[in-house]
Amino acid sequence: MYYQNKQKYDEEIKTFQEADKNQYNDATFNEKNRDKNLELTSLAKLEQIEKSYYQDFEMKESLFYKSFALTNAFFIVQQKMSSLKYHLEQREDEQLFGVWLWQQGEQHLIIVDDKIPCIQKQDGYELATVRSKYQWPIILQKAIGKLLGYGYDSFNLIQNDSIEFFTEIITGSIIIEQEFQSIEELEAKSRDKSIIVFVKYTQEQKTIAYQIEVKEKKLINLIPPNQKSIFVKGSQLNWEEFKQNFKTVHIVIWKDDYRVTSVSLKNQIERQSDFIEHTYLYKFKIDHHADYQITIWQKDYIINEEQIEILNKNSRQKLGLIRILLFKEFKPNQYQFIDGNCDFLANLSINQKLDVGEYYILCQGYFNFLKNQSQEEQQKQKKLNLTIKGLNIPEIVNSDDQVESKLIRLISSFIKNQASINNTRSIIQPEIQVTTDKAYGFLYFYYENKGTIDIYEEVNIKEQGHLISYDSLIKQSFFQVQVQQKHFQVVLYTLDPKIIQKNESLKFVYEYTHKILDEQQYQKNKLLQDSKQRNIQCNQIKISINQHEQGIFIQFQNFSDQDNQVDLIFTELKNLSLVLNKDFNIQKNQINFSIQKKSKLMMFFDVIVPNSPYYYKWNINCSTQN
């Protein structure tokens, strides 16, 4: 068995034997499918189905539980039967199977028996599952159906299914899309026993995966998943023909001897506006110089009205923005940025050769409040997992102190590493410079003052696109900055996760103007800006009230080690409307909510009638929760 967890297998088998078998097989299956001539039949009755672990190039799609993407995924993973067979285990003289599968970066042992849907005929039974001459695809399909939660019916409920989705469930590895510059480079990859290489081609409105073989005569052989899937240009292509038809190649890193450390991320720094930001900081130690794959996972499918929607690249309904940044500590409190990634995907990966040393990984998730979701679904949506895969993995990955000063140092070191002279301008003196650029979902202004004077600058962002201020998590089109001699300053913006709720392209759009201020202008503007913000203290909660032309936003920051209850009673509220947030309990003119220890929470009021005055008056009470 691949992960050698015999104790886990024994516990699951015992649970299976003691449980009501109806929870593993739908007791009403035969009744529901009588008109389809289907019934659950033991694989033991199908003598032609072999138990051997061999590739099946004649495997066909299910007659009733159709998922062509699933059949393609089986075709891909069978390229490494040595790895695949370790994911299935059957004890002697038992009709029970243990199947190791992955879901959102977590490993699960799925126990199934050999009862599978068959078409009853006069002379016997015919498979209604994926059709194969071997047992392993049939058992694997049943285990995946159970993991998804609807058994065999899962495959009729799936929307937007993809080859990647099922391949990741089986292998626990994400699929990397890559472009090659030469046939020699492609040949080296195709001969690497640690990876699977394939291409995808659309034929008759179906996406088909073709296995790649590079022949000695520099011809690329395309092996289809079944005899009916034949590439229209022919099965063998030269390099030029291959490049014309396939811009990219898909790679799955799947080694027999790879090990995995999986961590469910906890102890986050949470900030809320009309979405939620979670920030995690974890540390681990690398003892062996080797290749590692570090992946952050978020939920990759949602169930809505008995439909399973897989959140692939083409799905409009995304769950959130995720970001991953990797650092190495080379001196106490000094960090070297290694690599990063950021996107609106179900998972992101960093593939790097790492030296021996201490490492920190910064993970962030930005989650929108999806409509019509239960509290349980909201919690699942916000769950992030982290996996580290390699030959010699760290056994312990610990949550580090979530202190903002360390986050600032990490992000600053990442920006210093990214700063490019092509995006740098000087201010007054050549030694005073500011770099403006975008990377990994950030837009940053990095000021570095090595000159002989303090500098003051005002920046106005004319076209902000999908960007919000990282400090306030709201749209901010203006800032001014003071940078003293021998100091640096970072002004940071991040992508607004609300853009995933709109049918717009996911990209940076920004345009800005800047001007130098003298100290008197800077102080005058700062005084004017500060006058629009009020800070009050209530119990152990600091409340910052910020007013602007579009409304007001209020930040509640709990400095205590206990949760606090906040009660607001508005005696007057004119031309302002509260932006709804599921954390608020609203009753007429009263708002009640709880704020967790050492956390922040944001409240927004939008102006109802633009360019008209607004006004509010409230009474506030804060109390510690026992």
Side-chain angles (χ1 to χ4, degrees):
M1 191 166 55
Y2 188 48
Y3 291 94
Q4 304 300 319
N5 195 342
K6 299 290 186 182
Q7 181 179 355
K8 173 69 173 174
Y9 180 85
D10 291 336
E11 290 173 356
E12 292 287 343
I13 289 290
K14 183 179 179 180
T15 301
F16 181 92
Q17 292 170 335
E18 294 175 351
D20 181 357
K21 299 296 177 64
N22 288 340
Q23 66 178 303
Y24 293 89
N25 284 299
D26 185 356
T28 63
F29 176 89
N30 293 334
E31 185 68 28
K32 288 192 305 182
N33 291 282
R34 185 168 293 170
D35 59 334
K36 299 178 183 177
N37 205 28
L38 288 179
E39 70 172 41
L40 290 174
T41 306
S42 172
L43 273 175
K45 294 183 179 180
L46 303 173
E47 296 180 358
Q48 73 275 20
I49 305 296
E50 301 178 29
K51 295 183 179 180
S52 304
Y53 289 97
Y54 293 116
Q55 294 180 337
D56 185 358
F57 291 101
E58 297 177 358
M59 189 189 313
K60 296 180 177 61
E61 186 181 15
S62 171
L63 288 173
F64 284 87
Y65 302 96
K66 294 190 175 183
S67 176
F68 190 71
L70 178 72
T71 309
N72 272 251
F74 288 174
F75 171 70
I76 292 167
V77 298
Q78 74 174 358
Q79 295 182 40
K80 286 184 63 62
M81 293 304 304
S82 57
S83 291
L84 181 62
K85 68 181 181 181
Y86 289 128
H87 282 254
L88 292 89
E89 178 171 337
Q90 182 187 21
R91 296 291 174 89
E92 292 183 5
D93 302 323
E94 289 185 358
Q95 301 306 317
L96 296 178
F97 300 82
V99 184
W100 291 98
L101 296 176
W102 291 87
Q103 186 178 42
Q104 196 184 340
E106 290 182 321
Q107 182 192 13
H108 300 271
L109 179 63
I110 308 299
I111 302 296
V112 296
D113 62 12
D114 75 334
K115 298 284 188 179
I116 52 104
C118 287
I119 306 168
Q120 187 176 12
K121 294 189 174 183
Q122 291 182 349
D123 57 346
Y125 297 95
E126 181 181 339
L127 291 171
T129 63
V130 58
R131 288 168 288 167
S132 173
K133 58 185 176 183
Y134 303 121
Q135 276 190 1
W136 68 262
I138 303 165
I139 294 301
L140 189 54
Q141 178 182 3
K142 181 167 186 175
I144 292 173
K146 183 180 175 183
L147 181 73
L148 296 180
Y150 282 94
Y152 284 107
D153 288 337
S154 299
F155 306 106
N156 288 335
L157 300 175
I158 289 176
Q159 305 292 313
N160 306 319
D161 62 344
S162 68
I163 298 170
E164 290 84 354
F165 177 73
F166 292 115
T167 303
E168 289 166 9
I169 285 179
I170 299 168
T171 65
S173 298
I174 68 172
I175 295 179
I176 303 167
E177 195 170 356
Q178 187 173 339
E179 185 174 353
F180 288 96
Q181 304 303 319
S182 68
I183 192 170
E184 289 76 19
E185 187 182 0
L186 180 62
E187 182 180 20
K189 284 289 183 183
S190 67
R191 295 184 185 278
D192 189 336
K193 294 182 179 180
S194 67
I195 65 174
I196 298 172
V197 184
F198 67 97
V199 292
K200 294 195 297 185
Y201 183 75
T202 301
Q203 181 177 308
E204 297 178 356
Q205 298 183 334
K206 289 184 177 180
T207 301
I208 302 171
Y210 286 85
Q211 182 181 342
I212 293 177
E213 284 184 347
V214 181
K215 299 294 184 179
E216 294 181 0
K217 294 181 179 180
K218 301 300 180 183
L219 290 175
I220 301 168
N221 192 27
L222 302 180
I223 304 174
N226 56 59
Q227 293 178 354
K228 292 184 179 180
S229 303
I230 303 297
F231 181 58
V232 294
K233 298 291 184 182
S235 61
Q236 287 192 346
L237 306 174
N238 60 36
W239 176 245
E240 292 303 321
E241 290 173 331
F242 181 82
K243 288 290 288 183
Q244 288 174 6
N245 289 281
F246 303 102
K247 303 300 181 185
T248 58
V249 168
H250 302 269
I251 295 174
V252 184
I253 302 174
W254 200 23
K255 283 190 176 181
D256 297 348
D257 47 1
Y258 261 7
R259 294 294 178 264
V260 178
T261 292
S262 180
V263 178
S264 182
L265 298 182
K266 299 177 182 178
N267 302 325
Q268 72 274 6
I269 296 176
E270 179 175 290
R271 297 193 297 169
Q272 291 195 18
S273 58
D274 50 350
F275 59 89
I276 298 175
E277 177 200 70
H278 280 179
T279 299
Y280 306 85
L281 187 60
Y282 275 73
K283 61 182 178 182
F284 57 91
K285 185 179 180 180
I286 294 295
D287 295 321
H288 301 86
H289 174 75
D291 291 316
Y292 295 89
Q293 183 180 71
I294 303 172
T295 307
I296 181 174
W297 306 77
Q298 68 173 325
K299 190 177 178 184
D300 50 3
Y301 68 92
I302 58 176
I303 299 175
N304 187 16
E305 296 180 353
E306 292 194 346
Q307 286 189 342
I308 302 174
E309 183 174 0
I310 298 171
L311 303 179
N312 57 31
K313 293 181 180 180
N314 300 320
S315 175
R316 290 184 180 179
Q317 189 167 14
K318 305 291 185 182
L319 292 177
L321 170 72
I322 50 176
R323 178 184 291 121
I324 179 172
L325 302 174
L326 178 65
F327 303 85
K328 182 180 181 182
E329 185 175 39
F330 61 91
K331 292 181 180 179
N333 295 322
Q334 294 189 37
Y335 311 99
Q336 174 190 1
F337 175 68
I338 304 298
D339 200 358
N341 212 335
C342 181
D343 212 328
F344 295 87
L345 301 175
N347 50 64
L348 295 173
S349 184
I350 293 174
N351 300 278
Q352 282 285 340
K353 188 178 290 291
L354 300 181
D355 293 323
V356 174
E358 298 279 349
Y359 288 83
Y360 287 84
I361 191 156
L362 176 64
C363 301
Q364 290 186 305
Y366 294 81
F367 309 104
N368 290 296
F369 297 108
L370 294 183
K371 296 180 181 178
N372 304 320
Q373 271 201 338
S374 65
Q375 184 71 23
E376 182 181 2
E377 280 298 319
Q378 289 282 355
Q379 292 301 319
K380 288 181 180 178
Q381 169 197 328
K382 293 182 289 187
K383 182 180 179 181
L384 296 177
N385 294 316
L386 180 71
T387 59
I388 303 177
K389 179 179 290 190
L391 293 173
N392 298 286
I393 57 172
E395 295 183 4
I396 301 176
V397 180
N398 288 325
S399 175
D400 195 47
D401 295 333
Q402 308 290 319
V403 292
E404 293 192 12
S405 59
K406 179 173 286 186
L407 297 180
I408 292 171
R409 287 196 296 271
L410 288 171
I411 293 176
S412 297
S413 65
F414 140 70
I415 289 174
K416 288 179 180 179
N417 176 272
Q418 290 291 306
S420 167
I421 192 171
N422 296 327
N423 299 298
T424 300
R425 55 183 169 85
S426 297
I427 302 178
I428 303 178
Q429 299 177 357
E431 297 81 13
I432 306 174
Q433 297 182 331
V434 55
T435 301
T436 304
D437 206 351
K438 55 186 185 292
Y440 306 120
F442 285 126
L443 168 68
Y444 60 86
F445 294 79
Y446 171 56
Y447 292 84
E448 194 171 52
N449 188 350
K450 296 181 179 178
T452 58
I453 59 173
D454 296 350
I455 60 104
Y456 307 86
E457 184 172 66
E458 175 183 295
V459 175
N460 286 276
I461 301 180
K462 298 171 67 175
E463 184 179 357
Q464 196 166 342
H466 303 304
L467 295 164
I468 55 175
S469 167
Y470 182 73
D471 290 335
S472 66
L473 297 183
I474 65 169
K475 189 171 183 178
Q476 177 183 309
S477 58
F478 160 86
F479 70 86
Q480 62 177 30
V481 63
Q482 174 190 6
V483 186
Q484 298 176 341
Q485 301 175 53
K486 312 303 179 185
H487 284 73
F488 72 90
Q489 182 90 15
V490 175
V491 180
L492 205 59
Y493 288 81
T494 184
L495 279 170
D496 186 345
K498 292 191 295 296
I499 66 178
I500 65 178
Q501 298 174 333
K502 305 172 184 177
N503 187 19
E504 299 183 35
S505 58
L506 309 182
K507 62 181 180 180
F508 287 95
V509 179
Y510 66 95
E511 181 182 346
Y512 66 94
T513 60
H514 53 88
K515 63 179 180 180
I516 300 299
L517 304 176
D518 58 34
E519 183 176 4
Q520 186 176 3
Q521 288 175 308
Y522 173 82
Q523 295 298 343
K524 181 180 178 180
N525 290 346
K526 189 173 187 301
L527 183 64
L528 185 63
Q529 187 177 14
D530 290 346
S531 67
K532 295 182 180 180
Q533 175 174 314
R534 291 192 298 124
N535 294 318
I536 60 176
Q537 194 78 19
C538 178
N539 199 5
Q540 297 189 62
I541 296 179
K542 177 184 176 183
I543 304 171
S544 301
I545 306 166
N546 296 268
Q547 298 180 197
H548 55 95
E549 60 183 12
Q550 297 176 356
I552 61 174
F553 69 92
I554 308 166
Q555 176 177 281
F556 301 86
Q557 186 166 5
N558 185 0
F559 290 98
S560 71
D561 292 321
Q562 292 178 292
D563 295 349
N564 270 257
Q565 176 71 28
V566 180
D567 302 307
L568 302 177
I569 300 176
F570 285 87
T571 55
E572 292 188 56
L573 188 65
K574 296 181 179 179
N575 198 29
L576 289 171
S577 174
L578 175 66
V579 176
L580 293 180
N581 186 316
K582 72 176 185 63
D583 292 314
F584 301 143
N585 178 27
I586 305 171
Q587 296 180 350
K588 294 184 179 180
N589 63 338
Q590 186 169 338
I591 302 175
N592 314 103
F593 58 90
S594 175
I595 179 170
Q596 296 180 350
K597 61 182 180 182
K598 303 292 185 182
S599 67
K600 299 177 183 178
L601 189 146
M602 304 291 288
M603 179 180 291
F604 289 83
F605 289 85
D606 283 342
V607 169
I608 299 173
V609 181
N611 303 318
S612 296
Y614 60 82
Y615 179 74
Y616 69 95
K617 189 175 181 180
W618 68 9
N619 294 320
I620 185 169
N621 178 59
C622 305
S623 57
T624 301
Q625 292 182 336
N626 295 324

